[in-house]
């Protein structure tokens, strides 16, 4: 799936989901042709951009970094020594790079997607106190995760932000420290839509405003030719300081360069 989004107003410029299907078959096709679409194991009827839900992976690390900066847990000079992962009891939570990345600050941690840094700021480690699951969920929700964006298309999914209460109710299990570590790097039970990822990234691009995405820019009456422009709608703004956003932006830029 591909989404091209104007971060300054939430306007969707292009949105694509593959595999797709021939619309004409649903109107003019045979029953056999229609069933071939309905029963296709690749689910072409699922519009993945807004209805597909997936683990976010490391894409959400910008939101965690912003949250840790906002809470004063870290600043841009704070460093973590990445030696390949962290060991908690008999459990090991690895970096993606064997041997680790060495000492990294938040900008370097974003640039190289250093898991150990985010284990620290998410779940804490030894005498360092991290955000904890409640604050992680709080900041992810501020960036639009766990709720529908409100795009003007049907069947949007809201995704899932797992909490201790959710896990106890759905799985009948308590929340373990490992659950927080997994959540800190976008793994575990978290589920997001590609549109939520695009919209959250747009907040960093526009320096602090979460817009309601929209496909329709205006309505034109076919008879009177009168035009009704659909204005941009703000979901929330000014919820992260410009200083914190600037540091995260530097990390995202460093990932490119």
């Amino acid at each position: 799936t591909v989404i091209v989004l104007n971060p300054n107003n939430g306007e969707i410029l292009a949105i694509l989901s593959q595999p797709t299907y021939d619309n004409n078959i649903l109107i003019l096709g045979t029953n056999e042709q229609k069933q071939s679409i309905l029963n296709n194991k690749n689910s072409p009827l699922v519009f993945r951009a807004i209805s597909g839900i997936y683990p976010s992976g490391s894409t959400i690390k910008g939101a965690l970094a912003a949250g840790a900066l906002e809470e004063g847990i870290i600043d841009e000079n704070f460093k973590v020594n990445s030696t390949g992962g962290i060991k908690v009891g008999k459990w090991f939570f690895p970096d993606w790079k064997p041997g680790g990345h060495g000492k990294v600050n938040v900008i370097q941690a974003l640039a190289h997607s250093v898991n150990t840094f985010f284990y620290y700021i998410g779940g804490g480690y030894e005498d360092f106190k991290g955000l904890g699951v409640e604050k992680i969920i709080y900041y992810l929700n501020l960036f639009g995760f766990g709720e529908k964006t409100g795009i003007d298309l049907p069947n949007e999914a809201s995704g899932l932000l797992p909490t201790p209460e959710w896990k106890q109710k759905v799985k009948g299990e308590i929340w373990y420290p490992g659950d927080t570590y997994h959540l800190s790097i976008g793994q575990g039970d978290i589920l997001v839509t590609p549109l939520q990822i695009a919209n959250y990234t747009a907040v960093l691009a526009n320096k602090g405003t979460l817009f309601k995405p929209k496909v329709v820019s205006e309505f034109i009456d076919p008879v009177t030719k009168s035009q009704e422009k659909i204005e941009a709608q703000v979901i929330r703004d000014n919820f992260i300081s410009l200083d914190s956003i600037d540091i995260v932006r530097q990390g995202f830029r460093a990932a490119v360069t």
Side-chain angles (χ1 to χ4, degrees), residues 40-53:
N40 189 320
K41 66 179 182 180
N42 293 317
S43 304
L45 291 174
V46 176
F47 194 57
R48 286 161 168 77
I50 66 170
S51 302
I53 51 175

Side-chain angles (χ1 to χ4, degrees), residues 2 6 11 20 24 32 41 54 71 86 93 98 103 117 119 135 141 179 188 191 208 215 222 244:
V2 178
N6 183 342
E11 189 171 73
T20 187
N24 292 309
E32 184 178 0
K41 66 179 182 180
Y54 313 95
E71 293 294 316
I86 62 171
F93 300 92
K103 289 186 176 181
F117 188 92
Y119 294 146
K135 284 290 186 181
N141 186 245
D179 292 316
L191 294 171
V215 174
S244 296

Side-chain angles (χ1 to χ4, degrees), residues 80-120:
V80 166
N81 188 23
S82 160
T83 59
I86 62 171
K87 197 172 190 313
V88 181
K90 63 179 180 179
W91 306 106
F92 184 71
F93 300 92
D95 271 311
W96 63 263
K97 183 179 181 181
H101 303 260
K103 289 186 176 181
V104 294
N105 62 22
V106 61
I107 293 171
Q108 295 163 326
L110 287 167
H112 298 280
S113 195
V114 181
N115 286 349
T116 290
F117 188 92
F118 291 93
Y119 294 146
Y120 266 76

Side-chain angles (χ1 to χ4, degrees), residues 9 17 33 45 52 65 73 87 99 128 140 144 156 166 169 183-184 203 210 216 229 238 251 253:
N9 58 15
S17 179
Q33 288 175 314
L45 291 174
I73 292 173
K87 197 172 190 313
F128 180 82
L140 288 176
E156 181 184 12
W166 170 86
K169 179 179 178 181
L183 181 59
S184 299
V203 173
L210 183 68
V216 178
K229 186 171 177 62
N238 300 318
R253 178 60 183 159

Side-chain angles (χ1 to χ4, degrees), residues 24 39 57 60 70 88 97-98 101 104 109 111 131-132 135 147 154 175-177 181 199 201 204 214 218 221 230:
N24 292 309
N39 298 327
I60 62 161
E70 287 293 286
V88 181
K97 183 179 181 181
H101 303 260
V104 294
L131 287 166
K135 284 290 186 181
E147 61 187 20
W175 185 272
Y176 295 105
Y181 288 132
N199 218 28
T201 309
L204 301 171
K214 62 189 178 79
E218 65 178 357
D221 189 294
I230 308 302

